């Protein structure tokens, strides 16, 4: 027998909320199975599924841990937000920064951001940004101490409930999918605030794909502040403030990037270099500010039917300068 014993697939527990007057409203509750068969080698592969709100922790014994979070921003009745994560019982992955495989399946209606805007200029509101967040003692880390941030991933997005081997633009278009794929990071002069997505002063998002009508924060009239090339792809920078007055730096790939392997610290250097630039309506971080949050996931806006985002490979390797 090989090591790949015991694929444990969890079931969903279905329950109707008591007192609900909405016949259509039902909730899928997270449910975890215990390992039924006691293994001798502790090398089980454990498949965990959960819907609605989830915060699934996965330990990497030799490095950084990850937490897969739902991050639902705007719930809707009759919508779907589910995750499946494949962890190793031995908590030992190929590298010290390898995340467990995970996928999200979601469905949301198109919710108009501004009901007064003309039909040809309608933008959707974001419903959720489910992501795998690194949960590590490496951060918070002052930007001046950031040596490398090596990002390595593969993802696909497809329609329906099952993972797609490839991302097809035609099927996504046919189901009117509005979604993005991004690495979400927060920074702040204060170490604790840097890890608090709601309160951090600065947010930097790298959009590796952008399907739909939504614009990144700071898009405005489409003015590109600068362009950097990473791993062979150009990323355009847009800057602006969100409704929460946070200063947002959005790097948008000029074509979808389904596989990536590169150090992204040049993007930090680029935004730090904007200090003193005229006409930008944002504050610029400094070298002494802390990076306190890094998460990779998909922004879910709208679709007709389920969309499944799959991440079979993810590694976020943050190295302190001089190590
Ligand atoms: C941990 O478990 C995984 C999955 O079964 C297996 O591929 C890997 O070889 C195991 N690692 C060690 C060090 O036993
Ligand atoms: C992971 O390993 C690399 C070298 O193999 C090392 O530089 C890095 O500090 C390690 N990271 C963690 C979080 O252990
Ligand atoms: C909504 O759209 C209308 C019409 O284009 C515009 O006048 C208004 O400023 C917009 N509201 C917001 C909050 O952007
Ligand atoms: C929407 O239509 C109006 C009126 O036809 C036009 O002035 C405007 O430029 C259009 N907007 C876009 C984004 O195409
Ligand atoms: C990962 O999680 C384990 C278990 O909670 C913890 O003991 C360890 O310190 C964590 N590792 C890091 C790098 O935070
Ligand atoms: C963080 O923001 C939330 C609202 O988003 C607020 O309730 C909370 O007090 C803030 N925390 C701090 C420490 O300012
Ligand atoms: C985004 O949503 C709109 C409205 O549902 C839809 O017409 C469009 O096809 C979607 N996708 C893209 C790529 O624009
Ligand atoms: C676009 O926005 C930028 C920044 O707000 C501004 O400097 C520029 O004049 C605008 N361009 C046009 C054509 O409106
Ligand atoms: C969408 O996905 C959810 C969760 O897996 C599932 O319960 C639901 O039946 C799916 N909807 C369709 C139309 O397949």
């Amino acid at each position: 027998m090989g090591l790949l014993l015991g694929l444990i697939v969890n079931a969903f527990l279905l329950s109707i909320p008591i007192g609900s007057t909405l016949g259509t409203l039902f909730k899928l509750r997270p449910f975890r199975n215990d390992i039924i068969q006691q293994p001798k080698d502790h090398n089980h592969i454990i498949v965990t599924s959960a819907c609605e709100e989830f915060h699934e922790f996965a330990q990497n014994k030799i490095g950084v841990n990850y937490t897969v979070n739902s991050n639902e921003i705007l719930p809707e009745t009759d919508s779907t937000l589910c995750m499946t994560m494949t962890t190793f019982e031995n908590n030992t992955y190929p590298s010290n920064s390898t995340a467990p495989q995970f996928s999200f399946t979601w469905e949301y209606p198109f919710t108009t951001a501004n009901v007064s805007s003309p039909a040809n200029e309608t933008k959707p509101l974001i419903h959720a940004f489910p992501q795998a967040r690194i949960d590590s003692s490496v951060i918070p880390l002052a930007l001046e101490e950031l040596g490398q941030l090596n990002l390595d991933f593969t993802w696909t997005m497809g329609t329906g409930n099952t993972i797609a081997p490839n991302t097809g633009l035609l099927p996504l278009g046919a189901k009117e999918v509005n979604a993005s794929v991004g690495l979400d990071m927060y920074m702040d002069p204060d170490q604790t605030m840097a890890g608090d997505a709601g309160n951090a002063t600065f947010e930097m998002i790298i959009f590796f794909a952008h399907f739909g009508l939504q614009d990144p924060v700071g898009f405005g009239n489409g003015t590109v502040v600068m362009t950097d090339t990473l791993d062979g792809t150009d990323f355009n920078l847009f800057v602006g403030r969100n409704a929460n007055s946070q200063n947002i730096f959005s790097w948008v790939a000029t074509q979808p990037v389904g596989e990536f392997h590169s150090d992204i610290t040049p993007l930090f250097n680029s935004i730090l270099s904007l200090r003193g630039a005229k006409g930008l309506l944002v504050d610029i971080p400094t070298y002494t500010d802390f990076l306190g949050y890094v998460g990779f996931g998909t922004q879910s806006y709208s679709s007709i039917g389920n969309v499944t985002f799959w991440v079979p490979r993810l590694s976020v390797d943050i190295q302190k300068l001089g190590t």
Side-chain angles (χ1 to χ4, degrees):
M1 280 285 227
L3 295 174
L4 306 184
L5 286 170
L7 177 71
I8 296 161
V9 182
N10 286 355
F12 296 118
L13 197 64
L14 211 70
S15 70
I16 312 283
I18 296 161
S20 170
T21 52
L22 292 166
T24 53
L25 176 74
F26 68 90
K27 298 200 177 228
L28 291 162
R29 294 253 169 248
F31 179 79
R32 256 193 113 117
N33 269 345
D34 286 335
I35 295 165
I36 301 151
Q37 184 193 3
Q38 271 308 315
K40 289 199 169 66
D41 56 8
H42 300 290
N43 283 338
H44 275 81
I45 293 174
I46 303 169
V47 179
T48 306
S49 295
C51 291
E52 283 205 354
E53 188 177 342
F54 45 79
H55 305 279
E56 289 292 332
F57 177 76
Q59 187 189 344
N60 182 326
K61 211 159 70 179
I62 56 164
V64 298
N65 304 320
Y66 287 84
T67 304
V68 174
N69 291 309
S70 43
N71 290 333
E72 190 175 50
I73 298 154
L74 180 63
E76 302 272 355
T77 54
D78 266 345
S79 61
T80 295
L81 180 57
C82 294
M83 64 81 75
T84 298
M85 180 168 91
T86 307
T87 52
F88 293 168
E89 188 191 15
N90 60 23
N91 295 327
T92 309
Y93 294 85
S95 86
N96 65 2
S97 52
T98 304
Q101 285 196 8
F102 63 93
S103 68
F104 299 122
T105 294
W106 60 270
E107 178 182 8
Y108 286 104
F110 189 100
T111 308
T112 303
N114 180 352
V115 289
S116 313
S117 60
N120 63 343
E121 291 173 8
T122 302
K123 303 288 176 190
L125 283 180
I126 186 169
H127 284 101
F129 193 175
Q131 53 186 266
R133 173 188 180 164
I134 78 161
D135 194 337
S136 135
S137 54
V138 185
I139 53 174
L141 182 67
L143 295 178
E144 63 191 350
E145 289 195 283
L146 180 60
Q148 287 176 37
L149 201 166
N150 298 308
L151 179 65
D152 183 75
F153 63 67
T154 302
W155 58 266
T156 71
M157 194 186 292
T159 56
N161 279 53
T162 51
I163 55 180
N166 300 297
T167 305
L169 297 185
L170 286 176
L172 292 177
K175 296 296 182 186
E176 302 193 358
V177 175
N178 284 209
S180 308
V181 175
L183 186 77
D184 196 12
M185 290 161 283
Y186 289 92
M187 290 158 279
D188 196 89
D190 178 84
Q191 298 202 40
T192 309
M193 286 297 181
D196 181 343
N199 295 307
T201 306
F202 306 104
E203 180 181 18
M204 180 162 95
I205 306 190
I206 307 172
F207 291 99
F208 294 98
H210 186 260
F211 308 120
L213 304 176
Q214 69 280 2
D215 289 329
V217 171
F219 184 77
N221 60 17
T223 303
V224 174
V225 174
M226 62 164 79
T227 302
D228 273 3
T229 306
L230 283 184
D231 206 19
T233 300
D234 287 345
F235 291 83
N236 290 329
L237 177 65
F238 301 93
V239 304
R241 287 179 195 251
N242 65 9
N244 202 13
S245 292
Q246 290 168 296
N247 302 281
I248 317 292
F249 300 83
S250 307
W251 294 95
V252 184
T254 49
Q255 59 189 58
V257 179
E259 279 188 48
F260 186 83
H261 182 85
S262 184
D263 176 15
I264 62 160
T265 49
L267 300 187
F268 287 93
N269 292 331
S270 290
I271 66 167
L272 289 168
S273 76
L274 292 174
R275 182 155 283 271
K278 292 204 170 64
L280 297 177
L281 305 171
V282 288
D283 295 333
I284 307 296
T286 70
Y287 283 99
T288 51
D289 291 341
F290 292 89
L291 170 67
Y293 182 112
V294 182
F296 182 73
T298 185
Q299 292 185 314
S300 312
Y301 287 83
S302 63
S303 65
I304 300 172
N306 285 336
V307 176
T308 295
F309 173 72
W310 178 47
V311 183
R313 193 179 92 230
L314 173 65
S315 153
V316 181
D317 171 34
I318 301 177
Q319 303 210 7
K320 228 173 145 166
L321 203 66
T323 58

